Amino acid sequence: MKLWGGRFSKNTATIVDEFNASISFDQKLYKHDIIGSIAHAKMLKYSNIITEEEGQKIIKGLEEILKDIEEGKIIFQTAYEDIHMNIEKFLIDRIGETGKKLHTARSRNDQVAVDIRLYLRDEIDEILQKIKKLLNTLILLSKEHISTIMPGYTHLQRAQPITLGYHMMAYFQMFQRDYLRLQDCYKRVNVMPLGAGALAGTTYDTNLEFLKEELGFFEICQNSLDAVSDRDFIIEFISDVSLIMMHLSRFCEELIIWNSAEFNFVELDDAYSTGSSIMPQKKNPDVAELIRGKTGRIYGNLLNILTIMKALPLAYNKDMQEDKIPLFDTIENVSSCIDIFSEMILTMKIKKDVMKKNTKEGFMNATDVADYLVKKGLAFRSAHEIVGKMVLYCVEKDKIIEDLTIEEFEKFSTVFSEDIFEVIKIQNCIESKKSYGSPTRKNVERMIEEGKNFIKRSEK
Ligand code: ARG
């Protein structure tokens, strides 16, 4: 018989059992379900709702069940629907009538909410560690490539010269924001829904403060109706992960481009590339493509949970059982993506000479020539026009700005003098930048320093 069988005069159809059950996926929550139940049993005992002896018996039973699950000795059953009722049933089978007291002063509605929160708390901690590893990798690469000159792009057209170190630190900023966002999300996850019961609290003299301390929550949900209806924290988490994935995906897109024969800026390591089943010459950036692809999947998960929740009346509705599918999938995928990505960028070969060579073409110092004219007294728009004409001249003559003689410069403006040749050197184009976030060595060193401090601070 079902744990809720009293009201029913016949069994549910087998097809309904299967349809209704979530044990195939929510068994992932077994540990946190047991942790939550042990804390609940302690509280019931502490508040004299069950006896000391009953409490001990329940706790011991739950601990044994946890061990047996971990040793693979327990087979979950679809007939008991979900992880909560499977464990409760095992407990009753194991310790008898006393086991039936565990569910006093709680409902599966606050139970499932607490399980997800406890589980997600741990997972966020792990993802934060992984992001931190990625941040460290970016600092490492940035230090190594603080002088590696490369083209900076807008519209994927050569724009202004930068360094690879600077480029890496741009991603550092993005992943640092991701880190902070997840940390902030944690605050909303770490609120305790226990005590909410089905929706309107309980009539027992429970001690929620005790439970909160026992389970390490920051606070207790203010309103029980909200406590069991709320899945905002899952939506928030998947949104945050969507941003992480978007950042990884943009980075992957760049790597795919850089790894092409046409760009040839990097070569992904053999261990992070794959071959083609037909074309023997191929070495494909599958890993980077797959991370880019999985980004779509995570966005799908976000839309999935948003849509599940969009029209649900308060409080719990069975629709919410589906929340775990996008949640688990998101956690699994973001974790493996961050891990593999960190390794992939650490092992790739960076072709400094090719990167540098590419800054020679594309008139990447044109803005610097315009700025030169402005400093000699011209208005920026006029300077812009003059340099535009110079570029056109060069294109027609198949030259680069560095090829022009002083006489040719003077044809465009009489204010040009010999000092222009220093200004147009690519290295100087980078180092002459004066603004705070620009790619000069000094600035990138500062970014690295700040980055290291951020990581150190988050260690505490
Ligand atoms: N398996 C359910 C879920 O994941 C647990 C909560 C069930 N509560 C209920 N009243 N049916 O959402």
Side-chain angles (χ1 to χ4, degrees):
M1 193 167 97
K2 297 268 193 285
L3 290 173
W4 40 256
R7 156 79 176 76
F8 289 74
S9 48
K10 64 174 175 183
N11 285 334
T12 41
T14 313
I15 187 175
V16 171
D17 273 350
E18 273 159 25
F19 186 69
N20 212 31
S22 52
I23 188 65
S24 63
F25 52 91
D26 69 10
Q27 53 181 275
K28 256 202 163 79
L29 296 172
Y30 76 87
K31 197 168 103 206
H32 298 93
D33 189 76
I34 292 176
I35 291 172
S37 288
I38 289 178
H40 181 69
K42 279 188 188 165
M43 185 279 291
L44 291 177
K45 168 163 86 76
Y46 183 83
S47 311
N48 297 319
I49 297 168
I50 57 174
T51 67
E52 178 71 30
E53 197 190 325
E54 287 166 337
Q56 287 306 348
K57 214 168 159 187
I58 291 174
I59 293 165
K60 191 163 160 275
L62 287 167
E63 283 167 353
E64 283 170 15
I65 291 169
L66 177 62
K67 194 161 159 276
D68 285 356
I69 295 174
E70 280 175 345
E71 287 171 4
K73 289 190 191 147
I74 281 180
I75 299 165
F76 295 114
Q77 284 180 42
T78 307
Y80 301 126
E81 195 178 326
D82 57 23
I83 188 62
H84 326 293
M85 290 204 289
N86 265 271
I87 290 174
E88 197 180 329
K89 179 74 173 63
F90 298 143
L91 183 72
I92 295 166
D93 287 351
R94 198 168 290 223
I95 68 168
E97 283 299 300
T98 313
K100 294 185 180 170
K101 296 200 169 185
L102 173 64
H103 211 52
T104 315
R106 79 171 181 188
S107 147
R108 259 191 305 160
N109 297 350
D110 55 351
Q111 188 181 356
V112 70
V114 85
D115 287 10
I116 305 172
R117 286 171 183 270
L118 289 171
Y119 175 84
L120 186 52
R121 238 171 42 173
D122 285 354
E123 294 297 333
I124 290 179
D125 270 339
E126 273 203 28
I127 297 169
L128 286 173
Q129 291 311 314
K130 289 177 196 293
I131 299 178
K132 215 185 294 174
K133 192 172 156 228
L134 174 57
L135 290 174
N136 271 316
T137 304
L138 289 170
I139 288 202
L140 212 81
L141 285 172
S142 189
K143 277 208 270 190
E144 196 179 327
H145 293 285
I146 196 157
S147 328
T148 304
I149 293 176
M150 67 175 290
Y153 296 85
T154 64
H155 312 267
L156 201 56
Q157 306 287 315
R158 293 188 187 112
Q160 291 185 328
I162 56 172
T163 63
L164 183 61
Y166 180 63
H167 200 113
M168 292 297 128
M169 288 315 282
Y171 278 105
F172 186 97
Q173 294 296 320
M174 291 145 84
F175 292 116
Q176 180 180 336
R177 290 195 292 275
D178 290 333
Y179 187 96
L180 292 169
R181 252 189 296 271
L182 267 190
Q183 244 184 359
D184 203 59
C185 170
Y186 190 99
K187 293 184 208 155
R188 253 99 43 208
V189 175
N190 204 17
V191 186
M192 190 186 73
L194 285 180
L199 74 161
T202 70
T203 52
Y204 301 89
D205 221 349
T206 51
N207 190 329
L208 298 184
E209 220 23 73
F210 175 97
L211 264 177
K212 183 192 99 175
E213 291 302 314
E214 190 68 24
L215 292 170
F217 282 107
F218 287 156
E219 35 181 334
I220 302 167
C221 294
Q222 287 284 324
N223 178 307
S224 293
L225 188 56
D226 174 50
V228 288
S229 307
D230 174 27
R231 294 293 183 272
D232 295 3
F233 60 96
I234 298 183
I235 298 175
E236 187 178 347
F237 169 76
I238 304 181
S239 311
D240 292 350
V241 171
S242 295
L243 283 167
I244 299 176
M245 291 302 297
M246 186 259 281
H247 294 149
L248 286 175
S249 182
R250 291 182 77 173
F251 208 152
C252 283
E253 173 73 11
E254 295 201 314
L255 294 180
I256 293 163
I257 294 170
W258 293 356
N259 190 60
S260 68
E262 285 72 10
F263 265 76
N264 196 30
F265 284 5
V266 298
E267 186 184 337
L268 295 173
D269 194 74
D270 277 6
Y272 290 86
S273 313
T274 47
S276 154
S277 60
I278 170 170
M279 298 165 285
Q281 84 283 13
K282 294 273 286 193
K283 193 175 138 185
N284 296 327
D286 285 35
V287 171
E289 290 168 33
L290 209 47
I291 295 174
R292 193 177 55 184
K294 282 178 187 289
T295 304
R297 172 176 178 161
I298 304 299
Y299 292 179
N301 289 342
L302 177 60
L303 210 64
N304 178 338
I305 181 74
L306 278 168
T307 313
I308 289 171
M309 297 306 294
K310 85 174 259 286
L312 294 189
L314 308 188
Y316 179 84
N317 298 269
K318 187 76 170 182
D319 316 44
M320 288 154 79
Q321 176 165 287
E322 293 282 312
D323 61 359
K324 287 156 219 74
I325 294 172
L327 177 66
F328 294 160
D329 186 75
T330 299
I331 293 170
E332 232 169 77
N333 281 288
V334 74
S335 300
S336 62
C337 284
I338 303 174
D339 275 347
I340 201 162
F341 183 83
S342 297
E343 288 305 313
M344 181 171 66
I345 59 171
L346 205 58
T347 53
M348 70 187 175
K349 194 158 106 206
I350 291 159
K351 302 185 179 171
K352 294 185 190 183
D353 47 335
V354 183
M355 285 188 170
K356 187 162 182 192
K357 201 175 118 251
N358 272 273
T359 59
K360 290 261 170 0
E361 294 147 26
F363 304 101
M364 307 193 74
N365 44 13
T367 312
D368 299 88
V369 180
D371 288 342
Y372 170 93
L373 291 173
V374 169
K375 282 170 199 153
K376 299 266 173 175
L378 271 73
F380 183 76
R381 274 288 152 242
S382 315
H384 188 285
E385 198 187 330
I386 291 170
V387 183
K389 285 188 177 137
M390 290 174 67
V391 170
L392 186 61
Y393 171 85
C394 288
V395 171
E396 281 163 357
K397 293 259 183 299
D398 198 18
K399 287 183 174 189
I400 60 173
I401 294 182
E402 288 90 324
D403 294 335
L404 300 180
T405 61
I406 189 67
E407 290 75 26
E408 283 175 299
F409 271 109
E410 281 167 348
K411 265 196 254 161
F412 292 94
S413 169
T414 50
V415 307
F416 278 119
S417 61
E418 292 286 341
D419 55 352
I420 184 64
F421 294 110
E422 274 304 302
V423 170
I424 58 175
K425 283 187 184 154
I426 293 299
Q427 178 71 45
N428 292 344
C429 295
I430 296 173
E431 285 306 320
S432 62
K433 295 288 187 307
K434 294 217 165 69
S435 51
Y436 185 69
S438 60
T440 60
R441 188 186 184 95
K442 194 170 130 252
N443 279 345
V444 176
E445 275 169 358
R446 187 205 71 231
M447 292 170 204
I448 293 173
E449 214 33 54
E450 298 263 334
K452 280 197 210 152
N453 288 339
F454 173 79
I455 294 171
K456 223 182 282 159
R457 276 200 308 279
S458 64
E459 224 82 278
K460 284 176 212 152

